Amino acid sequence: MRRPHIFIGVMLAAGALLAWHATAAAQERDRSIQLISEFPLTGDDGKPVANHTVKLLGPIDQLPGVVTVGNPRGKATLVEFYDLNCPFCRIASADIADMVNVDPQLKLVLVPFPVLGVASIAASRIELAVAKLGTPQQFYDFHRKIYAQRGTTDGVRALEVARRLGLDAAALAKLGDSDETTKTMIAHVRLGNSLGLAATPAFIVGGVAVLGYPGRHRLQAIVDAAGSCGKVLC
């Protein structure tokens, strides 16, 4: 079967540009924001969790390519920046899905953040097309099924997951191959960089960036505190 052009060339020029943005941003973040802990947060393992206050210029959930699941009017909002090839994001994904299922007041905002190389960029092209052409539930089903896989997820594997969910593969490939999608991805990487997100996954809760996955119980405690008093610690 002939595969769409996007997966043969992976849009080399745009891919290189995105990879440069992601690599430069990651290097800068690694130099400047290593283990800053503004609040005394610890993970489930008892180790300190890097975090810092962020100032948002507007609601993240209104940005192109960002999808909200759970309760859109929930008392607590959890914003997750993730890469589809991040192993810690895979672990977090199952736990966060459980949090969404058991907490009717949780609003989960998903921000694709492809910073781990060309494969992630190619996969995120399809993911962003799913965000535009599918429903939020289809997007979340896609998100969860990607993390149920093992090995590297590239554009070909991402497109196959979307196809099995009943989405139009040709339409997804065409949109994923567009300048519109490239601009959206660059905007997400620049946003993450501006917020100092030095790890994936990274979370924004109650005006605070939490870098890395702190574990199911600590993340739940942070979300609960934000819902109760608007802070990561009450």
Side-chain angles (χ1 to χ4, degrees):
M1 180 178 68
R2 185 180 179 184
R3 288 171 175 161
H5 178 265
I6 181 176
F7 303 123
I8 297 173
V10 198
M11 287 192 68
L12 292 178
L17 176 62
L18 278 162
W20 180 86
H21 273 285
T23 300
Q27 290 174 345
E28 181 61 28
R29 291 193 304 268
D30 287 345
R31 283 195 296 268
S32 62
I33 318 175
Q34 292 185 11
L35 292 181
I36 294 174
S37 294
E38 187 172 341
F39 299 93
L41 299 179
T42 57
D44 287 353
D45 59 4
K47 295 180 180 179
V49 173
N51 65 85
H52 58 268
T53 299
V54 293
K55 187 172 183 178
L56 302 176
L57 299 180
I60 291 178
D61 62 338
Q62 299 300 310
L63 298 176
V66 173
V67 174
T68 297
V69 296
N71 185 345
R73 298 179 179 83
K75 290 195 304 182
T77 298
L78 175 64
V79 180
E80 181 185 6
F81 286 72
Y82 60 89
D83 185 294
L84 291 176
N85 284 304
C86 160
F88 296 104
C89 302
R90 176 179 289 116
I91 295 169
S93 175
D95 291 342
I96 293 171
D98 182 58
M99 290 171 62
V100 170
N101 288 335
V102 301
D103 185 354
Q105 290 299 322
L106 178 59
K107 174 181 178 179
L108 173 62
V109 179
L110 296 166
V111 187
F113 190 47
V115 294
L116 297 180
V118 173
S120 294
I121 292 167
S124 192
R125 287 188 176 280
I126 299 304
E127 178 181 35
L128 289 169
V130 172
K132 190 172 183 66
L133 299 181
T135 66
Q137 187 57 55
Q138 285 174 316
F139 180 90
Y140 198 43
D141 290 344
F142 172 88
H143 178 87
R144 296 285 292 115
K145 287 184 180 297
I146 289 291
Y147 284 128
Q149 299 182 127
R150 289 294 180 265
T152 300
T153 296
D154 57 10
V156 175
R157 294 189 76 188
L159 188 64
E160 178 58 23
V161 170
R163 187 193 64 77
R164 292 200 302 267
L165 289 171
L167 294 163
D168 185 331
L172 292 174
K174 181 178 180 180
L175 180 57
D177 202 16
S178 68
D179 289 342
E180 175 187 354
T181 297
T182 300
K183 290 176 182 177
T184 297
M185 281 197 288
I186 290 176
H188 286 193
V189 171
R190 284 176 172 166
L191 174 61
N193 186 40
S194 72
L195 296 175
L197 306 185
T200 53
F203 305 94
I204 308 294
V205 189
V208 173
V210 177
L211 310 184
Y213 185 47
R216 169 71 166 84
H217 299 295
R218 173 50 60 184
L219 185 61
Q220 183 71 65
I222 291 171
V223 169
D224 289 345
S228 298
C229 62
K231 303 175 182 178
V232 294
L233 290 172
C234 291

